[in-house]
Amino acid sequence: MLSIARNQFYEIAYSAERNRLYFRIDGYWKSPEVVPSYLSDWKNALALTKPSFTLLADFRNMVTHPSSVKALHHEVAEGLAKSGISSLAEVSPSDKIAVLQTGSVAKDAKISHIKVTDIVLGEHILDKLS
């Protein structure tokens, strides 16, 4: 597993063996300025993937983000779609508004996504779909 970015707000990693990105969001991001490398970190991550890659997203610790931050997530989702993502397994946040945010970002980008209850189940489902 290759770590692409890791900080107090998020982590992005890549498994070449599975052609899978791993993404975790932590806490509240008050503005895009608190994550200045977010888009470039995703660009670096997507450069490693092959077509039909999968993504396992851990949003359990995410708190609702303001619309300026949601716009960043939309930009990343568009990049995922253009780069050939095949499936996204999402471990949903406990914050109910954040659940709506994550679902709308994937839906707007037309990314096939599955909501799962935990990381192990998400990994298992993505392995079956790959």
Side-chain angles (χ1 to χ4, degrees):
M1 181 95 61
L2 174 65
S3 178
I4 295 155
R6 185 176 183 170
N7 57 51
Q8 73 185 70
F9 297 106
Y10 64 89
E11 181 175 8
I12 305 169
Y14 177 67
S15 167
E17 178 185 328
R18 287 189 159 128
N19 192 30
R20 180 167 302 145
L21 286 167
Y22 295 84
F23 177 47
R24 187 186 74 240
I25 290 180
D26 291 315
Y28 176 71
W29 305 3
K30 70 177 183 173
S31 72
E33 288 74 31
V34 300
V35 289
S37 302
Y38 185 60
L39 295 177
S40 61
D41 288 339
W42 272 107
K43 184 178 179 182
N44 292 337
L46 292 173
L48 298 171
T49 63
K50 299 174 194 80
S52 297
F53 67 94
T54 57
L55 171 63
L56 180 56
D58 180 358
F59 296 145
R60 290 175 292 183
N61 297 320
M62 177 185 170
V63 178
T64 303
H65 290 165
S67 58
S68 59
V69 172
K70 188 178 175 190
L72 287 178
H73 296 313
H74 275 284
E75 194 170 334
V76 168
E78 292 295 327
L80 291 167
K82 288 177 184 171
S83 296
I85 189 171
S86 64
S87 296
L88 158 66
E90 169 193 319
V91 183
S92 295
S94 55
D95 179 307
K96 300 303 180 204
I97 302 299
V99 170
L100 297 174
Q101 281 187 328
T102 60
S104 72
V105 168
K107 182 180 175 187
D108 291 349
K110 296 178 176 59
I111 295 173
S112 170
H113 76 288
I114 305 150
K115 293 184 185 266
V116 295
T117 54
D118 61 55
I119 297 292
V120 174
L121 179 59
E123 192 88 66
H124 179 73
I125 289 171
L126 290 176
D127 286 346
K128 293 281 187 199
L129 294 173
S130 300

